Amino acid sequence: MTDTMTIVKPYSREWLLSDRPTSRKQARLGRAYVIWRRFSENRLALAGLGIILALILVAIFADVLAPHSAVQGDLRNARLLPPGADGYWLGTDDQGRDILSRLIHGSRLTLFVVVLVAIIAAPIGLIVGTVAGYAGGWIDAVLMRITDIFLAFPKLVLALALVAALGPGIENAVLAIAITSWPPYARIARAETMTFRNSDFIAAVKLMGASPWRIVLKHVIPLCFSSLIVRVTLDMAGIILTAAGLGFLGLGAQPPLPEWGAMIASGRRFILDQWWVAAMPGAAILIVSLGFNLLGDGLRDALDPKEAGQ
């Protein structure tokens, strides 16, 4: 009699959905397939993913897509032109610069801020939260009180104070936003850690002689990734708004860099007559923030273990 396992083709749907995987690779691919299937059923999540992918592609090919220079304009002949006039699809600003080109190149600054903040803040919050949740006692108390101190201040106010101390600039803005963004990740990681620190598999690892640091790094932190990824994705919109707020106040990216918040600040003087100068970068911030929110909601639903059996 032929074994049924031998007739299932690798990487087929049946192979991915098998309830008896024969290897770790098969189990991981099956889990990824299930997550993608649940994610792809959410049309809004797919729309958010499409927005973010479009943002990434625009940032990569900005030099090719931008029809004009992002920093130089025709002040004499192209100042404050409306959308569509003389080939300027989204109009020009008070310096005669093409707004569409500045938005395209500004997408690079937006991704720069988002990626760096995620790279800096997420690992800090993850390590602080997992160590506090696993160790408990006075270590937990000290780390959580430090976290509470950062959470006691509004994120934008604390970022303003840090940038004022460090000086204006995109690098200092990224550092300030990252410093104010890690506490929520620490709270989530601590809560996740405390739910399974006394579980049987952690006890088994202890009996095998693993050190506390090895347990945290090899076994606890990977279990917190799903919740952390969702929270980081949902926080991207807030990070973009904070960066735009700093740029609007002149503490973020400095002229002539095409940062979207700074573009809104330069266009607020013309909001009544030349509305497009401030409205276009505002619309870009709105669309990208909406994309991250939709993507985060979809990931939250797809990674929810309660949905696994449905």
Side-chain angles (χ1 to χ4, degrees):
M1 183 175 180
T2 305
D3 187 4
T4 57
M5 292 300 295
T6 61
I7 62 176
V8 177
K9 296 181 180 180
Y11 305 104
S12 65
R13 185 175 184 274
E14 293 77 9
W15 184 81
L16 292 171
L17 296 177
S18 174
D19 56 354
R20 294 181 179 180
T22 58
S23 64
R24 291 185 177 181
K25 179 180 179 181
Q26 183 180 357
R28 291 172 180 172
L29 290 176
R31 172 64 176 166
Y33 175 74
V34 172
I35 291 174
W36 168 250
R37 191 174 64 173
R38 291 204 299 265
F39 179 85
S40 60
E41 292 174 353
N42 189 334
R43 294 185 178 181
L44 291 178
L46 290 178
L49 178 62
I51 292 173
I52 303 308
L53 290 178
L55 175 69
I56 295 173
L57 291 176
V58 168
I60 293 175
F61 299 104
D63 294 331
V64 178
L65 296 175
H68 302 279
S69 172
V71 295
Q72 295 180 352
D74 188 353
L75 186 60
R76 178 176 299 178
N77 300 317
R79 183 176 183 270
L80 296 175
L81 292 179
D86 296 332
Y88 296 101
W89 293 355
L90 299 183
T92 60
D93 62 7
D94 59 320
Q95 300 297 319
R97 298 171 296 194
D98 180 40
I99 294 178
L100 175 61
S101 300
R102 289 178 62 78
L103 290 178
I104 291 174
H105 282 276
S107 62
R108 290 182 172 178
L109 291 176
T110 300
L111 283 180
F112 174 78
V113 172
V114 166
V115 171
L116 278 188
V117 170
I119 291 175
I120 297 173
I124 293 176
L126 183 61
I127 293 174
V128 171
T130 52
V131 170
Y134 182 78
W138 67 269
I139 296 178
D140 181 23
V142 171
L143 292 178
M144 287 301 100
R145 296 299 78 75
I146 295 175
T147 304
D148 290 340
I149 292 174
F150 280 89
L151 289 174
F153 298 93
K155 183 183 296 186
L156 181 58
V157 174
L158 187 56
L160 285 173
L162 292 173
V163 173
L166 297 173
I170 188 66
E171 295 84 2
N172 292 338
V174 169
L175 183 60
I177 297 173
I179 292 176
T180 61
S181 298
W182 68 265
Y185 307 146
R187 282 291 186 182
I188 291 176
R190 176 179 178 269
E192 290 281 339
T193 303
M194 293 182 69
T195 60
F196 48 72
R197 68 178 179 182
N198 295 323
S199 58
D200 293 339
F201 77 93
I202 294 294
V205 174
K206 289 181 180 178
L207 291 176
M208 295 174 63
S211 65
W213 277 109
R214 180 177 179 82
I215 293 175
V216 170
L217 294 176
K218 296 292 185 178
H219 301 279
V220 176
I221 287 181
L223 293 173
C224 300
F225 279 159
S226 296
S227 300
L228 190 70
I229 290 173
V230 173
R231 181 57 192 257
V232 169
T233 307
L234 289 172
D235 280 353
M236 292 298 100
I239 292 172
I240 293 174
L241 292 176
T242 303
L246 293 176
F248 182 85
L249 297 174
L251 298 175
Q254 299 299 299
L257 292 178
E259 199 275 325
W260 294 347
M263 291 174 64
I264 296 177
S266 64
R268 70 183 187 274
R269 296 174 296 168
F270 315 102
I271 192 64
L272 295 180
D273 297 324
Q274 290 81 25
W275 52 269
W276 58 88
V277 181
M280 297 305 177
I285 294 174
L286 173 63
I287 293 173
V288 174
S289 299
L290 179 62
F292 276 113
N293 282 331
L294 294 177
L295 177 61
D297 287 337
L299 288 175
R300 180 181 57 193
D301 295 338
L303 296 174
D304 187 358
K306 297 179 181 178
E307 301 287 339
Q310 299 182 3

mmCIF file of all heavy atoms in Angstrom, residues 166-206:
data_model
loop_
_atom_site.group_PDB
_atom_site.id
_atom_site.type_symbol
_atom_site.label_atom_id
_atom_site.label_comp_id
_atom_site.label_asym_id
_atom_site.label_seq_id
_atom_site.Cartn_x
_atom_site.Cartn_y
_atom_site.Cartn_z
ATOM 1 N N LEU A 166 19.496 68.610 21.343
ATOM 2 C CA LEU A 166 20.482 68.068 20.421
ATOM 3 C C LEU A 166 20.754 68.987 19.241
ATOM 4 O O LEU A 166 21.837 68.945 18.652
ATOM 5 C CB LEU A 166 20.015 66.704 19.900
ATOM 6 C CG LEU A 166 19.850 65.594 20.942
ATOM 7 C CD1 LEU A 166 19.217 64.359 20.295
ATOM 8 C CD2 LEU A 166 21.185 65.239 21.561
ATOM 9 N N GLY A 167 19.771 69.798 18.883
ATOM 10 C CA GLY A 167 19.892 70.666 17.720
ATOM 11 C C GLY A 167 19.052 70.162 16.573
ATOM 12 O O GLY A 167 18.793 68.957 16.461
ATOM 13 N N PRO A 168 18.582 71.059 15.703
ATOM 14 C CA PRO A 168 17.735 70.647 14.573
ATOM 15 C C PRO A 168 18.514 69.812 13.570
ATOM 16 O O PRO A 168 19.721 69.931 13.429
ATOM 17 C CB PRO A 168 17.274 71.979 13.978
ATOM 18 C CG PRO A 168 18.328 72.962 14.388
ATOM 19 C CD PRO A 168 18.829 72.506 15.719
ATOM 20 N N GLY A 169 17.796 68.958 12.873
ATOM 21 C CA GLY A 169 18.413 68.085 11.871
ATOM 22 C C GLY A 169 17.677 66.762 11.804
ATOM 23 O O GLY A 169 17.067 66.323 12.781
ATOM 24 N N ILE A 170 17.723 66.107 10.654
ATOM 25 C CA ILE A 170 16.993 64.866 10.455
ATOM 26 C C ILE A 170 17.560 63.759 11.330
ATOM 27 O O ILE A 170 16.810 62.927 11.865
ATOM 28 C CB ILE A 170 17.018 64.472 8.957
ATOM 29 C CG1 ILE A 170 16.101 63.280 8.703
ATOM 30 C CG2 ILE A 170 18.428 64.200 8.490
ATOM 31 C CD1 ILE A 170 14.658 63.546 8.915
ATOM 32 N N GLU A 171 18.883 63.707 11.522
ATOM 33 C CA GLU A 171 19.470 62.653 12.356
ATOM 34 C C GLU A 171 19.053 62.810 13.802
ATOM 35 O O GLU A 171 18.691 61.823 14.469
ATOM 36 C CB GLU A 171 20.998 62.668 12.229
ATOM 37 C CG GLU A 171 21.534 62.335 10.846
ATOM 38 C CD GLU A 171 21.554 63.542 9.933
ATOM 39 O OE1 GLU A 171 21.190 64.651 10.404
ATOM 40 O OE2 GLU A 171 21.928 63.395 8.750
ATOM 41 N N ASN A 172 19.104 64.020 14.319
ATOM 42 C CA ASN A 172 18.684 64.250 15.702
ATOM 43 C C ASN A 172 17.193 64.006 15.881
ATOM 44 O O ASN A 172 16.756 63.546 16.946
ATOM 45 C CB ASN A 172 19.042 65.670 16.126
ATOM 46 C CG ASN A 172 20.537 65.884 16.240
ATOM 47 O OD1 ASN A 172 21.298 64.933 16.405
ATOM 48 N ND2 ASN A 172 20.975 67.127 16.145
ATOM 49 N N ALA A 173 16.408 64.313 14.853
ATOM 50 C CA ALA A 173 14.966 64.046 14.925
ATOM 51 C C ALA A 173 14.704 62.545 15.007
ATOM 52 O O ALA A 173 13.852 62.096 15.786
ATOM 53 C CB ALA A 173 14.258 64.645 13.714
ATOM 54 N N VAL A 174 15.419 61.774 14.214
ATOM 55 C CA VAL A 174 15.266 60.313 14.265
ATOM 56 C C VAL A 174 15.639 59.783 15.639
ATOM 57 O O VAL A 174 14.929 58.937 16.214
ATOM 58 C CB VAL A 174 16.135 59.653 13.174
ATOM 59 C CG1 VAL A 174 16.198 58.142 13.379
ATOM 60 C CG2 VAL A 174 15.584 59.968 11.795
ATOM 61 N N LEU A 175 16.748 60.264 16.190
ATOM 62 C CA LEU A 175 17.179 59.817 17.513
ATOM 63 C C LEU A 175 16.154 60.183 18.580
ATOM 64 O O LEU A 175 15.833 59.369 19.458
ATOM 65 C CB LEU A 175 18.538 60.434 17.845
ATOM 66 C CG LEU A 175 19.170 60.020 19.180
ATOM 67 C CD1 LEU A 175 19.381 58.512 19.222
ATOM 68 C CD2 LEU A 175 20.483 60.751 19.394
ATOM 69 N N ALA A 176 15.621 61.384 18.503
ATOM 70 C CA ALA A 176 14.629 61.812 19.497
ATOM 71 C C ALA A 176 13.350 60.985 19.397
ATOM 72 O O ALA A 176 12.781 60.576 20.423
ATOM 73 C CB ALA A 176 14.317 63.298 19.300
ATOM 74 N N ILE A 177 12.887 60.716 18.182
ATOM 75 C CA ILE A 177 11.674 59.917 18.011
ATOM 76 C C ILE A 177 11.899 58.491 18.505
ATOM 77 O O ILE A 177 11.028 57.890 19.146
ATOM 78 C CB ILE A 177 11.229 59.924 16.545
ATOM 79 C CG1 ILE A 177 10.863 61.343 16.103
ATOM 80 C CG2 ILE A 177 10.045 59.001 16.333
ATOM 81 C CD1 ILE A 177 10.582 61.474 14.617
ATOM 82 N N ALA A 178 13.095 57.945 18.235
ATOM 83 C CA ALA A 178 13.390 56.579 18.676
ATOM 84 C C ALA A 178 13.418 56.485 20.198
ATOM 85 O O ALA A 178 12.917 55.521 20.790
ATOM 86 C CB ALA A 178 14.723 56.122 18.089
ATOM 87 N N ILE A 179 13.986 57.484 20.850
ATOM 88 C CA ILE A 179 14.070 57.472 22.312
ATOM 89 C C ILE A 179 12.682 57.532 22.940
ATOM 90 O O ILE A 179 12.436 56.949 24.004
ATOM 91 C CB ILE A 179 14.952 58.645 22.792
ATOM 92 C CG1 ILE A 179 16.410 58.403 22.378
ATOM 93 C CG2 ILE A 179 14.857 58.821 24.301
ATOM 94 C CD1 ILE A 179 17.336 59.555 22.719
ATOM 95 N N THR A 180 11.765 58.206 22.284
ATOM 96 C CA THR A 180 10.412 58.328 22.838
ATOM 97 C C THR A 180 9.484 57.200 22.397
ATOM 98 O O THR A 180 8.351 57.125 22.879
ATOM 99 C CB THR A 180 9.789 59.665 22.402
ATOM 100 O OG1 THR A 180 9.704 59.714 20.964
ATOM 101 C CG2 THR A 180 10.640 60.836 22.888
ATOM 102 N N SER A 181 9.931 56.304 21.511
ATOM 103 C CA SER A 181 9.043 55.291 20.938
ATOM 104 C C SER A 181 9.195 53.905 21.560
ATOM 105 O O SER A 181 8.328 53.049 21.349
ATOM 106 C CB SER A 181 9.278 55.174 19.420
ATOM 107 O OG SER A 181 8.975 56.388 18.769
ATOM 108 N N TRP A 182 10.273 53.645 22.306
ATOM 109 C CA TRP A 182 10.506 52.286 22.785
ATOM 110 C C TRP A 182 9.643 51.851 23.975
ATOM 111 O O TRP A 182 9.398 50.630 24.129
ATOM 112 C CB TRP A 182 11.980 52.096 23.146
ATOM 113 C CG TRP A 182 12.437 52.893 24.346
ATOM 114 C CD1 TRP A 182 13.026 54.115 24.326
ATOM 115 C CD2 TRP A 182 12.353 52.508 25.718
ATOM 116 N NE1 TRP A 182 13.301 54.528 25.607
ATOM 117 C CE2 TRP A 182 12.909 53.557 26.483
ATOM 118 C CE3 TRP A 182 11.864 51.376 26.380
ATOM 119 C CZ2 TRP A 182 12.981 53.511 27.864
ATOM 120 C CZ3 TRP A 182 11.945 51.330 27.770
ATOM 121 C CH2 TRP A 182 12.504 52.381 28.499
ATOM 122 N N PRO A 183 9.146 52.743 24.859
ATOM 123 C CA PRO A 183 8.396 52.258 26.027
ATOM 124 C C PRO A 183 7.179 51.387 25.722
ATOM 125 O O PRO A 183 6.971 50.366 26.401
ATOM 126 C CB PRO A 183 8.018 53.553 26.754
ATOM 127 C CG PRO A 183 9.075 54.530 26.378
ATOM 128 C CD PRO A 183 9.382 54.204 24.958
ATOM 129 N N PRO A 184 6.321 51.716 24.735
ATOM 130 C CA PRO A 184 5.199 50.812 24.463
ATOM 131 C C PRO A 184 5.637 49.403 24.059
ATOM 132 O O PRO A 184 4.983 48.418 24.415
ATOM 133 C CB PRO A 184 4.452 51.508 23.323
ATOM 134 C CG PRO A 184 4.827 52.950 23.445
ATOM 135 C CD PRO A 184 6.235 52.940 23.913
ATOM 136 N N TYR A 185 6.750 49.312 23.329
ATOM 137 C CA TYR A 185 7.246 47.989 22.947
ATOM 138 C C TYR A 185 7.713 47.210 24.179
ATOM 139 O O TYR A 185 7.532 45.989 24.249
ATOM 140 C CB TYR A 185 8.394 48.124 21.948
ATOM 141 C CG TYR A 185 8.079 48.973 20.752
ATOM 142 C CD1 TYR A 185 9.044 49.761 20.145
ATOM 143 C CD2 TYR A 185 6.795 48.999 20.217
ATOM 144 C CE1 TYR A 185 8.759 50.541 19.043
ATOM 145 C CE2 TYR A 185 6.494 49.782 19.119
ATOM 146 C CZ TYR A 185 7.484 50.550 18.538
ATOM 147 O OH TYR A 185 7.184 51.327 17.458
ATOM 148 N N ALA A 186 8.315 47.909 25.133
ATOM 149 C CA ALA A 186 8.743 47.247 26.364
ATOM 150 C C ALA A 186 7.540 46.719 27.144
ATOM 151 O O ALA A 186 7.579 45.610 27.694
ATOM 152 C CB ALA A 186 9.553 48.222 27.219
ATOM 153 N N ARG A 187 6.470 47.489 27.196
ATOM 154 C CA ARG A 187 5.266 47.051 27.898
ATOM 155 C C ARG A 187 4.676 45.788 27.256
ATOM 156 O O ARG A 187 4.269 44.845 27.944
ATOM 157 C CB ARG A 187 4.231 48.170 27.893
ATOM 158 C CG ARG A 187 4.487 49.275 28.905
ATOM 159 C CD ARG A 187 4.284 48.757 30.303
ATOM 160 N NE ARG A 187 4.368 49.812 31.317
ATOM 161 C CZ ARG A 187 4.256 49.595 32.605
ATOM 162 N NH1 ARG A 187 4.060 48.370 33.050
ATOM 163 N NH2 ARG A 187 4.352 50.587 33.462
ATOM 164 N N ILE A 188 4.610 45.786 25.923
ATOM 165 C CA ILE A 188 4.052 44.628 25.226
ATOM 166 C C ILE A 188 4.930 43.396 25.431
ATOM 167 O O ILE A 188 4.436 42.292 25.721
ATOM 168 C CB ILE A 188 3.899 44.939 23.729
ATOM 169 C CG1 ILE A 188 2.797 45.977 23.513
ATOM 170 C CG2 ILE A 188 3.595 43.679 22.930
ATOM 171 C CD1 ILE A 188 2.638 46.400 22.083
ATOM 172 N N ALA A 189 6.245 43.565 25.301
ATOM 173 C CA ALA A 189 7.157 42.433 25.470
ATOM 174 C C ALA A 189 7.101 41.887 26.895
ATOM 175 O O ALA A 189 7.157 40.668 27.104
ATOM 176 C CB ALA A 189 8.582 42.860 25.122
ATOM 177 N N ARG A 190 6.981 42.761 27.878
ATOM 178 C CA ARG A 190 6.885 42.302 29.268
ATOM 179 C C ARG A 190 5.609 41.498 29.484
ATOM 180 O O ARG A 190 5.621 40.437 30.132
ATOM 181 C CB ARG A 190 6.912 43.510 30.213
ATOM 182 C CG ARG A 190 6.720 43.152 31.684
ATOM 183 C CD ARG A 190 6.794 44.403 32.545
ATOM 184 N NE ARG A 190 6.574 44.098 33.955
ATOM 185 C CZ ARG A 190 5.393 44.114 34.561
ATOM 186 N NH1 ARG A 190 4.292 44.413 33.846
ATOM 187 N NH2 ARG A 190 5.275 43.828 35.841
ATOM 188 N N ALA A 191 4.497 41.991 28.959
ATOM 189 C CA ALA A 191 3.236 41.276 29.121
ATOM 190 C C ALA A 191 3.283 39.910 28.440
ATOM 191 O O ALA A 191 2.803 38.907 28.996
ATOM 192 C CB ALA A 191 2.089 42.113 28.557
ATOM 193 N N GLU A 192 3.866 39.851 27.248
ATOM 194 C CA GLU A 192 3.986 38.574 26.555
ATOM 195 C C GLU A 192 4.880 37.615 27.340
ATOM 196 O O GLU A 192 4.580 36.420 27.461
ATOM 197 C CB GLU A 192 4.558 38.804 25.154
ATOM 198 C CG GLU A 192 3.622 39.508 24.203
ATOM 199 C CD GLU A 192 2.583 38.564 23.625
ATOM 200 O OE1 GLU A 192 2.811 37.346 23.627
ATOM 201 O OE2 GLU A 192 1.533 39.053 23.173
ATOM 202 N N THR A 193 5.983 38.118 27.866
ATOM 203 C CA THR A 193 6.925 37.272 28.595
ATOM 204 C C THR A 193 6.299 36.695 29.861
ATOM 205 O O THR A 193 6.504 35.516 30.197
ATOM 206 C CB THR A 193 8.186 38.066 28.953
ATOM 207 O OG1 THR A 193 8.778 38.588 27.754
ATOM 208 C CG2 THR A 193 9.208 37.191 29.660
ATOM 209 N N MET A 194 5.547 37.502 30.561
ATOM 210 C CA MET A 194 4.956 37.045 31.812
ATOM 211 C C MET A 194 3.885 35.972 31.600
ATOM 212 O O MET A 194 3.569 35.219 32.527
ATOM 213 C CB MET A 194 4.350 38.234 32.566
ATOM 214 C CG MET A 194 5.386 39.226 33.065
ATOM 215 S SD MET A 194 4.670 40.603 33.996
ATOM 216 C CE MET A 194 4.120 39.747 35.473
ATOM 217 N N THR A 195 3.346 35.857 30.387
ATOM 218 C CA THR A 195 2.324 34.846 30.131
ATOM 219 C C THR A 195 2.906 33.444 29.990
ATOM 220 O O THR A 195 2.208 32.461 30.232
ATOM 221 C CB THR A 195 1.533 35.192 28.861
ATOM 222 O OG1 THR A 195 2.424 35.255 27.746
ATOM 223 C CG2 THR A 195 0.819 36.530 29.019
ATOM 224 N N PHE A 196 4.201 33.340 29.611
ATOM 225 C CA PHE A 196 4.756 32.002 29.419
ATOM 226 C C PHE A 196 6.098 31.792 30.112
ATOM 227 O O PHE A 196 6.786 30.805 29.843
ATOM 228 C CB PHE A 196 4.918 31.694 27.916
ATOM 229 C CG PHE A 196 5.592 32.776 27.116
ATOM 230 C CD1 PHE A 196 6.946 33.034 27.240
ATOM 231 C CD2 PHE A 196 4.848 33.540 26.236
ATOM 232 C CE1 PHE A 196 7.551 34.025 26.502
ATOM 233 C CE2 PHE A 196 5.452 34.537 25.488
ATOM 234 C CZ PHE A 196 6.795 34.783 25.607
ATOM 235 N N ARG A 197 6.499 32.681 31.031
ATOM 236 C CA ARG A 197 7.792 32.476 31.687
ATOM 237 C C ARG A 197 7.774 31.270 32.612
ATOM 238 O O ARG A 197 8.831 30.699 32.915
ATOM 239 C CB ARG A 197 8.195 33.737 32.459
ATOM 240 C CG ARG A 197 7.336 34.041 33.668
ATOM 241 C CD ARG A 197 7.848 35.262 34.393
ATOM 242 N NE ARG A 197 7.028 35.593 35.559
ATOM 243 C CZ ARG A 197 7.254 36.652 36.352
ATOM 244 N NH1 ARG A 197 8.261 37.469 36.065
ATOM 245 N NH2 ARG A 197 6.475 36.881 37.377
ATOM 246 N N ASN A 198 6.591 30.862 33.100
ATOM 247 C CA ASN A 198 6.477 29.688 33.973
ATOM 248 C C ASN A 198 5.898 28.478 33.242
ATOM 249 O O ASN A 198 5.434 27.533 33.889
ATOM 250 C CB ASN A 198 5.582 30.025 35.182
ATOM 251 C CG ASN A 198 6.196 31.094 36.074
ATOM 252 O OD1 ASN A 198 7.414 31.127 36.271
ATOM 253 N ND2 ASN A 198 5.362 31.968 36.601
ATOM 254 N N SER A 199 5.935 28.503 31.919
ATOM 255 C CA SER A 199 5.375 27.398 31.144
ATOM 256 C C SER A 199 6.321 26.192 31.158
ATOM 257 O O SER A 199 7.485 26.280 31.560
ATOM 258 C CB SER A 199 5.117 27.850 29.707
ATOM 259 O OG SER A 199 6.309 28.312 29.107
ATOM 260 N N ASP A 200 5.807 25.081 30.682
ATOM 261 C CA ASP A 200 6.562 23.823 30.750
ATOM 262 C C ASP A 200 7.806 23.848 29.875
ATOM 263 O O ASP A 200 8.851 23.312 30.253
ATOM 264 C CB ASP A 200 5.654 22.660 30.333
ATOM 265 C CG ASP A 200 4.534 22.415 31.327
ATOM 266 O OD1 ASP A 200 4.683 22.855 32.483
ATOM 267 O OD2 ASP A 200 3.512 21.805 30.938
ATOM 268 N N PHE A 201 7.717 24.451 28.692
ATOM 269 C CA PHE A 201 8.891 24.411 27.817
ATOM 270 C C PHE A 201 10.024 25.280 28.355
ATOM 271 O O PHE A 201 11.200 24.962 28.155
ATOM 272 C CB PHE A 201 8.504 24.819 26.391
ATOM 273 C CG PHE A 201 8.307 26.290 26.189
ATOM 274 C CD1 PHE A 201 9.345 27.091 25.749
ATOM 275 C CD2 PHE A 201 7.073 26.883 26.427
ATOM 276 C CE1 PHE A 201 9.165 28.436 25.544
ATOM 277 C CE2 PHE A 201 6.880 28.230 26.223
ATOM 278 C CZ PHE A 201 7.924 29.019 25.789
ATOM 279 N N ILE A 202 9.692 26.360 29.053
ATOM 280 C CA ILE A 202 10.746 27.156 29.704
ATOM 281 C C ILE A 202 11.372 26.355 30.836
ATOM 282 O O ILE A 202 12.607 26.363 31.031
ATOM 283 C CB ILE A 202 10.171 28.486 30.228
ATOM 284 C CG1 ILE A 202 9.711 29.366 29.062
ATOM 285 C CG2 ILE A 202 11.202 29.222 31.073
ATOM 286 C CD1 ILE A 202 10.827 29.852 28.164
ATOM 287 N N ALA A 203 10.563 25.620 31.607
ATOM 288 C CA ALA A 203 11.098 24.767 32.671
ATOM 289 C C ALA A 203 12.002 23.677 32.104
ATOM 290 O O ALA A 203 13.045 23.339 32.691
ATOM 291 C CB ALA A 203 9.949 24.151 33.464
ATOM 292 N N ALA A 204 11.615 23.110 30.938
ATOM 293 C CA ALA A 204 12.441 22.088 30.311
ATOM 294 C C ALA A 204 13.790 22.651 29.870
ATOM 295 O O ALA A 204 14.828 21.995 30.017
ATOM 296 C CB ALA A 204 11.700 21.493 29.114
ATOM 297 N N VAL A 205 13.783 23.874 29.332
ATOM 298 C CA VAL A 205 15.035 24.504 28.918
ATOM 299 C C VAL A 205 15.923 24.767 30.128
ATOM 300 O O VAL A 205 17.154 24.602 30.075
ATOM 301 C CB VAL A 205 14.741 25.809 28.151
ATOM 302 C CG1 VAL A 205 16.035 26.543 27.844
ATOM 303 C CG2 VAL A 205 13.990 25.508 26.877
ATOM 304 N N LYS A 206 15.329 25.168 31.244
ATOM 305 C CA LYS A 206 16.103 25.368 32.468
ATOM 306 C C LYS A 206 16.763 24.070 32.921
ATOM 307 O O LYS A 206 17.931 24.055 33.330
ATOM 308 C CB LYS A 206 15.201 25.915 33.576
ATOM 309 C CG LYS A 206 14.753 27.350 33.399
ATOM 310 C CD LYS A 206 13.889 27.771 34.588
ATOM 311 C CE LYS A 206 13.409 29.204 34.449
ATOM 312 N NZ LYS A 206 12.533 29.608 35.569
#
